[in-house]
Amino acid sequence: MKTTKNTILITGGSAGIGFETAKLLSEQGNNVIIIGRDQNRLDDAKAKLNNVTAIKADVSKAEDVKELVATISRLYPELNIVINNAGRALLYNLADGNQDAFGNAEDEMLTNYLSIIRLNQQLLPLLKQQGEAAIVNVSSVVAYVPGITLPTYAASKAAVHSYTTSLRLSLENTSVKVFELFPPLVNTEFSKEIGGHNGIEPLQVAEELLEGLKNDEFEIRVGDTAKIYDLFLSSPADALNVINANRAAWIESVQP
């Protein structure tokens, strides 16, 4: 997959992984469109980037997506890459009956999974018209091995992984390639509550994404995700223990 002279849409592009990806891609001669829910954050991000358009839209809302797709089709009919990066993560304990597990799961599934399906479905007719196109769905290491601190977030990413695999198979005889990005813990505002300061920098994720695109590496496992994946294949129980190594201390810390 070429990584220059593309027109690229990035959801959740105003911060973290999305911002760093937009920065790298814009520096490499691509026309980049970043999407986000917060106009101020979008404006701040756009001011720091070159050759980038910012559009306010909430991909979890059907009307916003309909309007976004109409705008893209009208102004950017050459769009050939979509990076589904917007996400939602809620930190809580499933064992705590006072927590709204259903509400949390509903929120995360809509943003992390169902919204991706809706946006991809509506943009596919445009992508199929291009000589070379790609969809990148941002998943997570917890798609393979769930963590106790983010139970329904992990479930949403597992759903993304399954859907992405099916989508890739469905589009294998078209011009649209389907990639999946698996970051580990990343040092962003998004992951602040789960110890994100211990994670890798978002720039590393962006750099490995671009390298994976260049090499047509359809499952891009960043940093320690590759090690966890290999461990998962050899011993799922060991991988689960590694991901949840501090679960006893965490459970104790959140007990009411």
Side-chain angles (χ1 to χ4, degrees):
M1 183 76 203
K2 65 185 177 73
T3 55
T4 60
K5 298 181 180 179
N6 300 290
T7 298
I8 303 167
L9 184 149
I10 304 175
T11 69
S14 64
I17 295 170
F19 175 83
E20 295 296 343
T21 301
K23 186 172 186 292
L24 281 183
L25 287 169
S26 64
E27 290 171 348
Q28 294 190 13
N30 296 285
N31 184 18
V32 179
I33 306 151
I34 59 172
I35 308 300
R37 295 183 294 185
D38 188 306
Q39 188 66 58
N40 291 331
R41 291 180 67 176
L42 280 171
D43 291 342
D44 289 344
K46 187 178 186 304
K48 299 172 184 175
L49 301 169
N50 295 316
N51 197 32
V52 168
T53 300
I55 299 177
K56 183 177 181 293
D58 184 343
V59 294
S60 70
K61 295 181 178 178
E63 284 303 312
D64 279 24
V65 172
K66 182 179 179 181
E67 184 176 344
L68 172 64
V69 171
T71 299
I72 295 297
S73 299
R74 184 176 73 255
L75 299 179
Y76 305 99
E78 74 281 8
L79 179 80
N80 69 318
I81 298 179
V82 176
I83 301 177
N84 291 295
N85 171 70
R88 177 84 164 130
L90 298 170
L91 184 73
Y92 70 103
N93 186 357
L94 280 176
D96 183 355
N98 295 316
Q99 296 285 332
D100 184 8
F102 177 84
N104 290 345
E106 185 176 43
D107 188 355
E108 290 167 317
M109 279 290 183
L110 175 58
T111 302
N112 301 340
Y113 174 54
L114 296 174
S115 294
I116 289 177
I117 296 175
R118 177 160 54 202
L119 184 59
N120 285 346
Q121 180 180 11
Q122 294 189 33
L123 286 175
L124 262 175
L126 190 60
L127 294 175
K128 286 181 177 180
Q129 294 175 15
Q130 315 306 332
E132 184 180 41
I135 291 170
V136 180
N137 294 332
V138 178
S139 185
S140 168
V141 64
V142 296
Y144 297 128
V145 187
I148 190 174
T149 59
L150 296 166
T152 46
Y153 172 81
S156 72
K157 292 301 186 178
V160 168
H161 175 50
S162 179
Y163 158 73
T164 304
T165 302
S166 296
L167 184 64
R168 184 180 302 118
L169 291 172
S170 300
L171 294 173
E172 64 182 353
N173 293 320
T174 74
S175 63
V176 184
K177 299 176 180 179
V178 180
F179 297 82
E180 188 171 3
L181 178 68
F182 296 87
L185 183 64
V186 182
N187 185 15
T188 64
E189 186 68 24
F190 179 84
S191 62
K192 187 176 180 180
E193 289 188 3
I194 57 169
H197 62 281
N198 295 314
I200 65 174
E201 293 304 312
L203 176 58
Q204 180 181 340
V205 182
E207 290 173 338
E208 293 197 33
L209 168 59
L210 265 63
E211 191 64 23
L213 290 174
K214 286 180 185 178
N215 297 326
D216 281 343
E217 182 183 345
F218 295 117
E219 293 193 351
I220 305 167
R221 303 180 188 96
V222 178
D224 285 344
T225 297
K227 297 177 183 177
I228 294 296
Y229 177 69
D230 288 341
L231 181 60
F232 169 72
L233 293 179
S234 63
S235 174
D238 287 345
L240 192 65
N241 285 332
V242 168
I243 288 290
N244 295 282
N246 298 316
R247 63 182 179 273
W250 183 79
I251 290 172
E252 184 176 346
S253 72
V254 297
Q255 290 293 346

